[in-house]
Amino acid sequence: MLRLKGKRALVTGSGQGLGEHMAHALAREGCEIVGFEVRPTLLDKATADLRKKGFCANGHLVDVRDFRAVHDAVEKVYCESGPVDFLVNNAGKGQREPFHKLTRDVWDYMLDVNLTSVFNLCHAIVPRMLARQEAGRIINIASLAATSGGRVLGKSAYAAAKGGVIALTKSLAIELAPHGITVNCISPGVHNTPRRAHDSPEEQQLIMDNIPMKSLGEPADLAETVVFLCLPSSRYITGVILPQDGGHSI
């Protein structure tokens, strides 16, 4: 069933991990994929992998922290491919510095890559969605850390940035609802991605102790939630902050 056939999805951070899974899940439903990625090798591989499976996909090398670069890349997408129906703001990065060691450079980087990037993409896409006068979908990816502060120490800047994503989601949802554009946010817990290889045994145990389901989330499941929020059946859902964390936030 190609439930999203004829639609186009822009996914940031599409080169690996959660973003790559999201791109493939949307493609399987018939979406044309536009990937924004800052790492050229990952971008080329991810785009090639989608095309090998017969999906329509294009990749753009973009630093989503760069306001002008994002606007230029979005303009190129609209000129070469066409309008974007679904925007998935997935790009982001974690942080592990205790607050008393946190530098201004790290603070600025965390806000830029996790929050300002969302602003940049929305600033470029929203006016175009409004101009089309058709329903659009914006899906932002926050984090359990935004509401819990992060159970693993050293997440202050990351948690603050992702908290901003939640606030921006709610504000945009209110503003865009009269125009049929929904804005929702998924707040993942700890998922089984390559980043987990950097966890110490103590951190792994702490994570498991705090997850009632006693297992990590699977990226494929998170990707299917993104698909759900793009389906026609979710047209009346907006401003939702959806935890997907195995009960971690209870």
Side-chain angles (χ1 to χ4, degrees):
M1 292 177 62
L2 300 179
R3 295 176 292 178
L4 300 175
K5 186 177 181 180
K7 300 295 186 179
R8 185 173 293 106
L10 194 163
V11 182
T12 68
S14 59
Q16 69 174 5
L18 299 178
E20 186 176 14
H21 280 271
M22 294 170 190
H24 278 261
L26 289 164
R28 286 193 296 270
E29 293 291 348
C31 268
E32 176 184 334
I33 302 300
V34 177
F36 277 16
E37 175 60 62
V38 73
R39 298 158 292 188
T41 302
L42 292 178
L43 176 66
D44 292 344
K45 182 181 182 302
T47 304
D49 287 347
L50 284 164
R51 289 175 176 173
K52 285 177 184 176
K53 294 182 178 180
F55 301 134
C56 184
N58 293 288
H60 296 263
L61 190 64
V62 187
D63 185 343
V64 292
R65 300 173 298 163
D66 186 328
F67 179 85
R68 189 69 266 155
V70 167
H71 272 263
D72 290 346
V74 168
E75 177 68 22
K76 186 175 181 180
V77 170
Y78 273 71
C79 289
E80 295 182 356
S81 300
V84 171
D85 300 286
F86 312 132
L87 169 61
V88 183
N89 283 307
N90 164 73
K93 195 166 184 180
Q95 163 247 348
R96 291 191 180 197
E97 285 81 11
F99 186 78
H100 68 281
K101 294 183 178 180
L102 190 64
T103 66
R104 178 58 188 267
D105 285 345
V106 171
W107 172 266
D108 288 345
Y109 177 74
M110 283 294 110
L111 264 64
D112 281 349
V113 74
N114 292 300
L115 176 57
T116 303
S117 63
V118 178
F119 165 78
N120 290 342
L121 267 298
C122 290
H123 194 273
I125 293 288
V126 166
R128 290 174 165 87
M129 284 185 171
L130 290 172
R132 289 180 69 197
Q133 297 185 337
E134 294 183 15
R137 307 290 173 88
I138 298 173
I139 301 162
N140 299 323
I141 307 301
S143 169
L144 169 69
T147 51
S148 73
R151 302 294 178 90
V152 178
L153 300 180
K155 296 284 189 178
S156 54
Y158 176 74
K162 289 298 190 180
V165 172
I166 287 177
L168 179 58
T169 297
K170 292 181 177 182
S171 182
L172 272 180
I174 293 169
E175 188 170 334
L176 299 179
H179 304 280
I181 299 170
T182 67
V183 189
N184 291 294
C185 181
I186 304 172
S187 189
V190 187
H191 277 64
N192 187 19
T193 67
R195 291 181 183 178
R196 298 279 64 83
H198 301 290
D199 294 335
S200 68
E202 293 77 17
E203 288 171 333
Q204 293 173 8
Q205 187 60 52
L206 179 61
I207 288 168
M208 284 302 173
D209 287 345
N210 283 284
I211 300 176
M213 292 187 74
K214 301 304 178 188
S215 63
L216 299 180
E218 289 300 328
D221 295 335
L222 184 62
E224 290 301 325
T225 303
V226 171
V227 170
F228 164 71
L229 291 172
C230 292
L231 292 174
S233 56
S234 67
R235 67 170 189 84
Y236 206 55
I237 299 172
T238 195
V240 166
I241 313 302
L242 178 61
Q244 192 158 344
D245 58 14
H248 200 158
S249 57
I250 296 173

